[in-house]
Amino acid sequence: RADALVAVTGGDNSNVVAARVAREAYRVPRVIARIHDPRRAAMYEELGIVTVSSTDWALRKIRDYLEHRTLKEEDTFGRGEVLLLRLELPQHLVDRSVADVEGEGLRVVSVTRRGGAFVPGPGTAFAEGDVVRLAVGPDGRGRLDALLAEEATREEAGREVAG
């Protein structure tokens, strides 16, 4: 009579067995299995078992902390496919428009400027000190990485000129 089952034992196999038994034998409507091995998680998803991979989540967090100090994850949606990220606007994006930043899978959700927040339009120009909230799906991650990599490229060029 359970409404849901979340299998989070220490073993991937135990979690999958528990999830399948709950779903197939007891008809539990919502079943989730935590899986440590991301490759197995994908395979179980194909079998119709909703999985959460703590390893994938941890790797994404580590990557963001190492590569993008100004970027912080605030929330996730679905099974982590869509992220809500907080970005302290880098200097190289000042005066660029929302339309310049957005692309497939990447949307500017809000801008916080001088203590107040608003939902920007495509023509809104970013200003120094802005804090931007971005919704990023799998297709938008490459675009975001490229935008943030522009900052590193400009910093390197500045060091070469100064050196």
Side-chain angles (χ1 to χ4, degrees):
R1 295 183 188 177
D3 293 324
L5 174 107
V6 181
V8 291
T9 70
D12 288 357
N13 291 335
S14 300
N15 291 340
V16 169
V17 169
R20 290 191 76 179
V21 167
R23 190 184 72 202
E24 294 168 12
Y26 294 100
R27 304 285 185 236
V28 176
R30 291 183 296 186
V31 177
I32 302 169
R34 180 184 62 198
I35 305 297
H36 295 287
D37 182 345
R39 292 172 301 205
R40 293 172 88 189
M43 181 179 69
Y44 296 139
E45 286 276 344
E46 289 178 15
L47 296 173
I49 299 170
V50 175
T51 63
V52 175
S53 174
S54 53
T55 304
D56 278 346
W57 176 85
L59 289 172
R60 280 195 311 269
K61 294 290 283 184
I62 290 166
R63 178 178 161 233
D64 284 343
Y65 286 134
L66 290 174
E67 293 180 1
H68 309 300
R69 293 173 307 220
T70 60
L71 194 62
K72 293 184 178 52
E73 182 179 308
E74 290 196 334
D75 209 345
T76 60
F77 304 97
R79 292 183 208 111
E81 305 92 346
V82 176
L83 305 174
L84 178 64
L85 301 175
R86 178 185 187 274
L87 174 66
E88 295 173 16
L89 192 74
Q91 188 62 38
H92 75 282
L93 294 179
V94 170
D95 295 327
R96 293 194 43 194
S97 73
V98 168
D100 289 342
V101 170
E102 290 187 334
E104 187 67 33
L106 177 63
R107 295 287 177 261
V108 177
V109 176
S110 73
V111 174
T112 302
R113 184 177 292 162
R114 293 186 293 279
F118 62 95
V119 176
T124 301
F126 294 113
E128 190 167 346
D130 280 355
V131 175
V132 179
R133 291 331 188 273
L134 304 162
V136 184
D139 295 340
R141 191 61 204 223
R143 171 101 179 113
L144 178 61
D145 288 343
L147 283 167
L148 295 177
E150 287 177 20
E151 178 180 28
T153 303
R154 288 176 192 220
E155 285 177 6
E156 286 176 25
R159 281 194 295 268
E160 288 175 10
V161 169

